[in-house]
Each structure stands twice: as structure tokens, then as C-alpha cells.
């Protein structure tokens, strides 16, 4: 009896089970780090912060699941994270479409969530007069996003980095081998994120960052 097809089916099933196990453990690890590292002035603020970050993680997982975890389009990712503010003319988005690897998509989604949350609390998105321009481009396998706020309350450079800023920098630099730069201009924050799209390039950049640390 030819059992080749059955063997192949069993192998595919085992591979799928391992993938599901890996993704579940990864999601739980991310959720655990969110709960552990989040700070709040009181219980209500803490719960809101945790819920916001978990929801951001859930949104990107939904996007990835629709592509069978092959990746996520950056336009869709940005739309999901900025949906609450993109109905009017406060937000302008521009950039060419690019497919992100799952790990890159997850990290970038969390970074965008922190940026938009900060802007909604203290920056341009906290007032109707505020404006946000988010532009991105790809050059030689390097994705660069420019987050540009204007028209909001006068900005003062923080005396210390909050969780949001620290997490953006740490996730982009340590997890993706990229770079996160903040310019706290009085007229509005400018944040520039540079992310290698190639895993090999990201690994090289990560080693270089560690060497200079």
C-alpha cells in the first residue's frame, strides 16, 4: 500500500502544529513583557495602557493571520494603528507598498502604537489643530519611516525617557537591528525609524549596534 501521501500529510500536520506552538509562545511572551514593563500613575491608567498595547498586538496578529503569516502590507499596518485619527484631515500618509516579515510587522505595529498614543495624550493628535504626517520609503532594503507632528501643544523634551520612547527605541534597535531617532522640537515631534527589511542585514546591523554599545 502506498502511504507516501499519508506520510506527507502527517509531516504537514506536524509542521503546522509546531508553527502554531511557536506563534502562541511568541504572543504570550510579548503579552507578558507588556504586562511586566507597563507603568501607570494608578490602576486605571495601568489597565488602559496594557489594554492598548495588547490590542495593538491583536490587530497585527489579525493582519498576519489573513496572509497565513506570510507577512503584512505596511499600508494596512499603518491604517490599523492610526484608524481612530485618520477620518478627518489631521493625518496624511504617503509611501510605497511593501510586504513586511511577521517579526518586523509585530515590532513596527507596537512602535506605531506607542507613537500614536503619545501624540494623542501630549502631542499633535491631542488637539484639533494638530497635524501628523507619516511618510515611508524603501531604499536598498532599508525601510525608513518619518513621523512628523505640527500644530499641537508646544513640545518640551522629556527629562527622562518614558516607557513608550524606551520601548520604541529598544524594539527597533535590539529586535530589528534598526534605528529610532527622536527630535523633540518645540513645534512638534519628529521621529525617524530605520528598519532593515532583510533578516541578514538586520542581523549584521544588530551586531554592529552591540559592538558600539
Amino acid at each position: 500500500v502506498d502511504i507516501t501521501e499519508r506520510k506527507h500529510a502527517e509531516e504537514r500536520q506536524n509542521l503546522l502544529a509546531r508553527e502554531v506552538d511557536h506563534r502562541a509562545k511568541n504572543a504570550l511572551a510579548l503579552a507578558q513583557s507588556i504586562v511586566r514593563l507597563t507603568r501607570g500613575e494608578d490602576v486605571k491608567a495601568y489597565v488602559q495602557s496594557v489594554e492598548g498595547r495588547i490590542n495593538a498586538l491583536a490587530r497585527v496578529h489579525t493582519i498576519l493571520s489573513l496572509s497565513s503569516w506570510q507577512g503584512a502590507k505596511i499600508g494596512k499596518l499603518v491604517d490599523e494603528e492610526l484608524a481612530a485619527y485618520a477620518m478627518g484631515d489631521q493625518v496624511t500618509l504617503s509611501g510605497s507598498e511593501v510586504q513586511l516579515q511577521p517579526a518586523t510587522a509585530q515590532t513596527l505595529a507596537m512602535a506605531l502604537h506607542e507613537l500614536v498614543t503619545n501624540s494623542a495624550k501630549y502631542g499633535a493628535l491631542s488637539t484639533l489643530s494638530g497635524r501628523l504626517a507619516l511618510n515611508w520609503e524603501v531604499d536598498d532594503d532599508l525601510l525608513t519611516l518619518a513621523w512628523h507632528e505640527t500644530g499641537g501643544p508646544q513640545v518640551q523634551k522629556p527629562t527622562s525617557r518614558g516607557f513608550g520612547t524606551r520601548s520604541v527605541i529598544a524594539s527597533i534597535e535590539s529586535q530589528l537591528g534598526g534605528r529610532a531617532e527622536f527630535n523633540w522640537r518645540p513645534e512638534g515631534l519628529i521621529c525617524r525609524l530605520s528598519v532593515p527589511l532583510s533578516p541578514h542585514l538586520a542581523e549584521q546591523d544588530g551586531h554592529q549596534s552591540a559592538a558600539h554599545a
Side-chain angles (χ1 to χ4, degrees):
V1 178
D2 187 357
I3 61 171
T4 302
E5 185 59 32
R6 191 178 72 186
K7 285 289 188 182
H8 287 166
E10 289 176 352
E11 289 174 0
R12 287 194 296 270
Q13 186 175 12
N14 289 334
L15 177 61
L16 178 61
R18 289 196 296 271
E19 277 293 309
V20 171
D21 181 61
H22 171 73
R23 290 170 191 166
K25 288 180 178 177
N26 179 59
L28 289 171
L30 286 171
Q32 185 181 44
S33 67
I34 288 172
V35 172
R36 185 177 67 251
L37 297 174
T38 297
R39 298 289 182 269
E41 297 177 357
D42 50 39
V43 173
K44 182 178 180 180
Y46 172 80
V47 170
Q48 288 178 338
S49 295
V50 169
E51 286 182 342
R53 287 160 185 155
I54 295 295
N55 286 335
L57 184 60
R59 285 192 294 270
V60 69
H61 274 228
T62 298
I63 296 173
L64 290 170
S65 67
L66 293 175
S67 70
S68 299
W69 282 79
Q70 295 303 303
K73 298 288 188 181
I74 188 171
K76 179 65 173 175
L77 196 70
V78 170
D79 286 344
E80 285 292 322
E81 294 305 324
L82 297 179
Y85 306 94
M87 299 301 292
D89 60 354
Q90 278 193 277
V91 178
T92 57
L93 309 172
S94 64
S96 57
E97 196 59 276
V98 59
Q99 179 91 344
L100 304 174
Q101 294 290 329
T104 303
Q106 288 183 101
T107 300
L108 201 53
M110 299 301 293
L112 289 173
H113 170 74
E114 296 303 332
L115 287 170
V116 75
T117 299
N118 180 78
S119 181
K121 287 183 177 179
Y122 314 110
L125 296 181
S126 68
T127 63
L128 293 177
S129 62
R131 297 293 182 269
L132 165 66
L134 177 57
N135 310 307
W136 63 89
E137 59 182 12
V138 178
D139 183 24
D140 196 23
D141 222 20
L142 182 70
L143 171 65
T144 302
L145 295 95
W147 178 283
H148 191 162
E149 296 185 28
T150 56
Q154 186 172 16
V155 175
Q156 293 184 343
K157 183 177 180 179
T159 55
S160 62
R161 290 175 178 171
F163 173 85
T165 305
R166 292 200 313 273
S167 66
V168 171
I169 294 174
S171 62
I172 295 297
E173 296 187 353
S174 64
Q175 296 180 28
L176 300 181
R179 178 172 296 179
E181 301 170 293
F182 287 79
N183 181 4
W184 301 96
R185 308 176 312 151
E187 60 270 32
L189 168 68
I190 292 180
C191 178
R192 188 179 181 87
L193 307 179
S194 302
V195 179
L197 295 177
S198 166
H200 176 66
L201 180 60
E203 184 177 347
Q204 285 183 329
D205 289 352
H207 289 327
Q208 291 174 359
S209 298
H212 290 294

